[in-house]
Amino acid sequence: MKKKAVGSRHSAFRFILSAILYALSAILLFSGCQKQDRLFKKERNLMHTFVTITVVSNSEKEAEKAIDAGFDEIKRLEGLLNYFSPESELSAINRAAGKSPVKVSPSTLDAIRKALYISGITGGAFDPAIGPVIKLWKFSEPDTEHVIPSKDVIANALKVIDYKKIKINEAASEIYLEAEGMELDLGGIAKGYAADKAIDVIKAKGIKAALVAIAGDIRGYGLKPDGEAWRVGVQNPRPKYDKEPPSLKKGGEGESPDEILTSLYLADKAISTSGDYERFFTKEGKRYHHIIDPRTGYPSDSKLISVSVIAPHGYVSDGISTGIFVLGAQKGIALLEFMGLDGIMVDSDMKVYLTRGLKGKVEIPAGFR
Ligand code: AMP
Ligand code: MG
């Protein structure tokens, strides 16, 4: 009896031991088989530009799913916020200007709320009600024979450019433009906003690191498989060969050193660049670009030709970089430093302005001052 009991205890012990060894070897085997984290990248044309999404994952299938979900989110937002599409909620708001409030989805309400926040902090230099003036300049029609709008036509359009006349009814989820003829244009903030939202969707899929680049509006989070933060390039506003499209549009990797002003690490942050080289035409040697001073209705003459802003969110970096383009270097640097943000600006004398946080940290090539 006694002997048997000892024997059964023995075999129970052996059983537990072999179970532990089995479990350990299974864990070792599994971790040995587990794939390494890798980068997965896809490109698409959305929001009238080049979009790339890069994610870190150990599974191609999971990576693909997350990237596609990110693109779907950008497409969904484009559908709501596109100035040029009659089906967008933005167009419905514009058509009802001065007539009635329009019920909109939470995303549209949120994007407009955030645009108004940027208007507030830039003192109206960023104004999403800029639509009627933008329309006159036809920057979105590259093949057209550009004509400088007459002073009278601009003065007339300016009468309805006022972000304070954009009313949000949070409870009813409604937007109302108080004056007839008003038109919202979110072109200065929508890409950064969409990059934020795409990142949210990708994060929700369990992805540990990603980079979403919608032209010059780039938002990253997490670290690459090599443990480094994402590295992104800031476009040289005046590369020697000015004819090629900026490679920053392809996600921040330059094809020539001359194409890049500088590059920096982007950990859990967004960077946006506004430049006078993005959309412009020249008449009698003068460049007319797409960032309009809401006080004059003419392309901003702040002397800045490029403004990059780094912020925790894309809607902030995008909106503020457009606003600072109008405000100019001094006010721009002061605003960024007041807000605890960083930025790089270049003026028409190729003088580079850096916020305190970037001084000594970024390399500026010869040819800039
Ligand atoms: P970005 O490239 O982000 O600076 O955006 C430029 C776009 O923003 C233009 O193509 C216009 O659609 C719009 N925009 C131009 N000037 C302004 C302004 N002062 N405030 C807000 N949006 C603007
Ligand atoms: Mg912008």
Side-chain angles (χ1 to χ4, degrees):
M1 225 14 217
K2 210 176 175 189
K3 218 176 168 192
K4 207 179 171 198
V6 170
S8 70
R9 231 185 0 242
H10 222 97
S11 57
F13 176 70
R14 270 223 308 269
F15 174 75
I16 291 167
L17 190 71
S18 56
I20 291 171
L21 284 173
Y22 180 78
L24 269 176
S25 58
I27 290 167
L28 284 174
L29 198 72
F30 179 71
S31 62
C33 285
Q34 208 173 25
K35 287 191 196 139
Q36 293 281 309
D37 277 340
R38 282 188 294 147
L39 289 173
F40 296 90
K41 184 173 175 177
K42 274 198 194 178
E43 302 165 340
R44 253 196 230 173
N45 253 309
L46 289 168
M47 299 186 98
H48 308 285
T49 192
F50 208 74
V51 183
T52 66
I53 300 184
T54 314
V55 302
V56 175
S57 177
N58 59 13
S59 150
E60 186 170 356
K61 211 169 132 204
E62 297 301 314
E64 285 238 346
K65 262 198 234 162
I67 291 177
D68 289 346
F71 282 133
D72 287 349
E73 177 65 356
I74 295 169
K75 212 170 162 188
R76 183 183 76 83
L77 292 170
E78 183 182 12
L80 296 174
L81 306 176
N82 187 354
Y83 174 89
F84 301 99
S85 158
E87 280 89 49
S88 71
E89 288 193 343
L90 196 82
S91 295
I93 295 167
N94 289 345
R95 279 193 298 271
K99 296 185 192 111
S100 62
V102 174
K103 200 167 184 68
V104 294
S105 62
S107 296
T108 301
L109 201 82
D110 185 46
I112 294 171
R113 188 195 297 120
K114 289 188 158 90
L116 289 180
Y117 163 71
I118 303 293
S119 297
I121 58 177
T122 59
F126 174 88
D127 192 331
I130 198 84
V133 179
I134 296 289
K135 197 162 64 177
L136 297 175
W137 288 93
K138 299 193 165 100
F139 292 111
S140 55
E141 299 168 35
D143 299 328
T144 197
E145 180 56 43
H146 283 105
V147 184
I148 297 162
S150 78
K151 281 201 173 97
D152 290 350
V153 171
I154 288 182
N156 199 41
L158 275 183
K159 286 182 197 154
V160 291
I161 313 265
D162 183 359
Y163 70 94
K164 291 184 182 139
K165 290 188 176 141
I166 305 168
K167 299 294 169 194
I168 301 188
N169 182 337
E170 296 278 350
S173 194
E174 285 175 351
I175 306 286
Y176 180 49
L177 307 183
E178 285 187 327
E180 209 168 317
M182 276 180 84
E183 280 189 2
L184 299 184
D185 170 359
L186 297 179
I189 194 168
K191 294 193 201 80
Y193 181 77
D196 287 337
K197 296 295 154 186
I199 286 284
D200 288 348
V201 163
I202 292 166
K203 255 187 200 172
K205 294 264 174 212
I207 296 288
K208 60 179 96 159
L211 189 76
V212 173
I214 310 181
D217 296 292
I218 305 169
R219 167 86 192 269
Y221 85 93
L223 301 174
K224 289 186 293 153
D226 62 6
E228 296 264 332
W230 303 98
R231 197 157 176 81
V232 296
V234 173
Q235 165 82 27
N236 178 350
R238 296 289 184 272
K240 283 190 196 82
Y241 53 96
D242 212 359
K243 303 285 176 274
E244 294 295 313
S247 70
L248 191 66
K249 291 185 171 172
K250 297 175 197 161
E253 290 157 38
E255 282 153 6
S256 144
D258 180 49
E259 229 184 300
I260 293 293
L261 170 68
T262 190
S263 58
L264 30 86
Y265 287 106
L266 195 73
D268 297 326
K269 286 212 168 118
I271 182 167
S272 293
T273 300
S274 291
D276 72 346
Y277 51 84
E278 293 274 355
R279 283 178 182 180
F280 67 95
F281 63 87
T282 23
K283 273 256 166 275
E284 288 157 21
K286 190 171 156 52
R287 184 187 290 242
Y288 293 87
H289 63 79
H290 68 147
I291 300 172
I292 301 295
D293 187 332
R295 295 164 297 194
T296 64
Y298 284 84
S300 150
D301 63 355
S302 69
K303 255 187 99 176
L304 288 175
I305 62 171
S306 164
V307 177
S308 299
V309 171
I310 302 152
H313 290 96
Y315 82 89
V316 177
S317 57
D318 192 358
I320 290 195
S321 59
T322 307
I324 286 180
F325 204 101
V326 173
L327 287 175
Q330 273 75 27
K331 283 185 184 163
I333 293 282
L335 175 63
L336 292 181
E337 290 184 345
F338 174 73
M339 292 185 72
L341 304 176
D342 275 314
I344 304 171
M345 300 158 204
V346 184
D347 73 12
S348 51
D349 297 328
M350 295 298 126
K351 185 169 160 45
V352 176
Y353 303 82
L354 299 172
T355 47
R356 222 177 290 128
L358 289 183
K359 282 189 182 146
K361 290 197 186 138
V362 292
E363 273 181 51
I364 302 296
F368 291 91
R369 304 197 288 131

